[in-house]
Amino acid sequence: MGASASEIAAATPPARDRYVDLLRVVSLGTVIAGHWLMAAVSGDGIGNLLAIVPPLQVLTWALQVMPVFFFVGGFSHALSYRSLARKTDGPVYAVFLRARLQRLLRPTLVFVAVWTAGALAAQLLGAGGGRLSGAAFRLVTQPLWFIGIYLAMVAFTPPLLRLHERYGWAAFGALAGAAAAVDLLRFAGGVPYAEFLNFAFVWLAVHQLGFLRADGRIRRPGALAAAGLAGAIALVAYGPYPLSMVGMPGEKVSNMAPPTLALLAHGIWLVGAVELLRVPAAALLARPRVWHGVVAANGVAMTAFLWHLTAMLAVYAAQLALGIALPEPAAAAWWAQAPVRFLAAAALTCVLVGAFRRFEAPGVAGAPRPVSVPVPAGGSGPRAAAGITLCLFGVLGLSVTGLGGLLDGHSATLIALPVTAPAAIAMAIGGWLLVERSGTSRRVRLRG
């Protein structure tokens, strides 16, 4: 059974790095707020506010905080893998993958199942072909790219952690250098498909910074932030990179899809900046009420991330159903309605979190603890590797296909290959089952 947030907060060991938990919550919360701000819904469909008002794109230098989440992921993965290595009887890779995927994939697959059922029902009833509904079925799965990339980070943690332990900053430098080389091949050499390599090199470099933090090797965060910011400014000012650190509709070059060296520089400056706030944040997190709030938010953060666009779309749908006109995005009336829409979307997100949080943290909060605990034993590494590969391609496939036209064979291109939503769902489920069956454990009876 699960423990309540109060129990977890009270049992937190003094040595725990609470700031990492805060960064995880704040980064996902910032992404959610950014998505609510950027979604510009009108009678013509769903657009992007930053494309409508280009000067606002500078806000992405503060709102694009996914690098912070991946940085925190690197820190957590290093600690988790090392802890499992000390406790596991046999090969640790399969056990590590299974442990990291359980909390991530269960709520994701539930989200996909609910929306797939809705998309099928809408298509069978003839209600899925409108501009708004069609855009909604595409939009809700787009954030799943983040989960697909995170799965790749989990998969690559063991080998990259070994490289970190041997080479330290040089391992990060090699990944950053590879990202720069890919951009040279892309922009100077015109090599087709080379750019897609930076989905790995850019994000794994940010992830590698988390390993360095886990070993206390980020000792000059101010210099790191300054170097990253200067690099990002120079690349955008003098290179082929756009101002926005998120993708814009119709743009020839995106800093996000695929990631670029400019986005890596942006990530470096963000990592340095958040590390500069580490000491003052620690004093704040020592307060019991603040820490309790962080613990509670961490327990539902992934659920909130998955369902926040659903909540926003429901607010717009309710507005249309009530006959309230949708003003032109960025018009004065649109901005006037924005605070109300935000509050309504936040309230509805809380409702959805209450309904689906059980899949992120199974068990009844506050219930008695079990009298036995699992002790991990080695599992099948190759099976786990195959499973997580299927998972990440399935989730990434869903992020590009959306859930519209499920019965029409609608497909989209993932890197160079066409993929349909049903195939992507099958890959994700099949991969998860492979990982689940690759890791084993035995239970040991506790005394008392």
Side-chain angles (χ1 to χ4, degrees), residues 12-27 68-69 71-73 75-76 213 221 269-286 290-291 294-295 298:
T12 302
R16 182 175 181 86
D17 193 332
R18 301 182 179 194
Y19 187 45
V20 167
D21 297 288
L22 176 65
L23 288 179
R24 185 181 294 111
V25 169
V26 170
S27 59
V68 175
F69 190 90
F71 164 65
V72 168
F75 175 89
S76 300
R213 187 189 191 279
W269 103 258
L270 282 180
V271 167
V274 298
E275 282 296 282
L276 285 172
L277 300 174
R278 184 176 180 178
V279 173
L284 181 67
L285 291 166
V290 174
W291 176 235
V294 171
V295 170
N298 254 306

Side-chain angles (χ1 to χ4, degrees), residues 240-337:
Y241 305 99
L243 172 66
S244 175
M245 290 299 164
V246 301
M248 291 290 105
E251 63 185 355
K252 293 182 179 179
V253 176
S254 167
N255 280 321
M256 272 291 295
T260 64
L261 186 62
L263 184 64
L264 176 56
H266 170 71
I268 291 171
W269 103 258
L270 282 180
V271 167
V274 298
E275 282 296 282
L276 285 172
L277 300 174
R278 184 176 180 178
V279 173
L284 181 67
L285 291 166
R287 301 178 182 178
R289 288 185 178 180
V290 174
W291 176 235
H292 178 273
V294 171
V295 170
N298 254 306
V300 298
M302 185 55 58
T303 304
F305 174 80
L306 287 166
W307 291 97
H308 75 281
L309 286 180
T310 304
M312 182 205 70
L313 291 170
V315 169
Y316 276 110
Q319 190 171 345
L320 287 171
L322 293 172
I324 303 173
L326 294 177
E328 283 298 311
W334 189 90
W335 286 109
Q337 289 182 5

Side-chain angles (χ1 to χ4, degrees), residues 33-393:
H35 285 169
W36 286 344
L37 175 66
M38 288 189 295
V41 179
S42 67
D44 295 328
I46 303 175
N48 190 315
L49 179 67
L50 302 184
I52 297 169
V53 189
L56 291 179
Q57 291 177 17
V58 71
L59 295 177
T60 62
W61 288 52
L63 294 177
Q64 172 50 291
V65 293
M66 273 304 181
V68 175
F69 190 90
F70 291 148
F71 164 65
V72 168
F75 175 89
S76 300
H77 294 160
L79 297 187
S80 175
Y81 185 82
R82 287 167 173 170
S83 175
L84 280 172
R86 290 190 297 267
K87 300 174 183 177
T88 300
D89 180 18
V92 68
Y93 186 65
V95 180
F96 171 74
L97 292 188
R98 184 170 181 262
R100 303 307 292 183
L101 263 62
Q102 278 184 333
R103 186 173 173 184
L104 188 65
L105 276 183
R106 185 184 289 109
T108 300
L109 293 177
V110 169
F111 167 81
V112 170
V114 171
W115 264 99
T116 299
L120 285 171
Q123 189 170 1
L124 291 171
L125 294 173
R131 285 186 178 181
L132 286 177
S133 58
F137 289 133
R138 291 192 302 273
L139 179 66
V140 290
T141 65
Q142 286 180 4
L144 295 182
W145 73 266
F146 143 75
I147 294 175
I149 296 298
Y150 199 78
L151 291 173
M153 292 176 174
V154 172
F156 281 105
T157 287
L160 289 180
L161 187 57
R162 286 192 291 271
L163 287 176
H164 158 75
E165 290 168 347
R166 182 169 182 179
Y167 298 108
W169 275 99
F172 164 78
L175 288 168
V182 166
D183 274 10
L184 280 175
L185 292 174
R186 174 186 182 182
F187 295 116
V191 178
Y193 302 116
E195 63 268 28
F196 293 105
L197 292 171
N198 268 349
F199 275 113
F201 292 138
V202 168
W203 291 125
L204 289 176
V206 175
H207 189 249
Q208 204 80 5
L209 288 171
F211 295 166
L212 291 160
R213 187 189 191 279
D215 288 347
R217 300 187 67 173
I218 300 180
R219 300 187 182 96
R220 299 180 63 189
L224 189 68
L229 185 58
I233 291 173
L235 288 167
V236 169
Y238 302 107
Y241 305 99
L243 172 66
S244 175
M245 290 299 164
V246 301
M248 291 290 105
E251 63 185 355
K252 293 182 179 179
V253 176
S254 167
N255 280 321
M256 272 291 295
T260 64
L261 186 62
L263 184 64
L264 176 56
H266 170 71
I268 291 171
W269 103 258
L270 282 180
V271 167
V274 298
E275 282 296 282
L276 285 172
L277 300 174
R278 184 176 180 178
V279 173
L284 181 67
L285 291 166
R287 301 178 182 178
R289 288 185 178 180
V290 174
W291 176 235
H292 178 273
V294 171
V295 170
N298 254 306
V300 298
M302 185 55 58
T303 304
F305 174 80
L306 287 166
W307 291 97
H308 75 281
L309 286 180
T310 304
M312 182 205 70
L313 291 170
V315 169
Y316 276 110
Q319 190 171 345
L320 287 171
L322 293 172
I324 303 173
L326 294 177
E328 283 298 311
W334 189 90
W335 286 109
Q337 289 182 5
V340 178
R341 286 197 304 271
F342 269 51
L343 289 174
L348 187 51
T349 299
C350 290
V351 172
L352 291 168
V353 164
F356 293 103
R357 63 180 296 178
R358 71 192 68 182
F359 301 105
E360 181 173 356
V364 180
R369 297 179 182 274
V371 295
S372 62
V373 296
V375 176
S380 171
R383 182 186 299 172
I388 197 169
T389 301
L390 278 175
C391 279
L392 71 90
F393 279 112

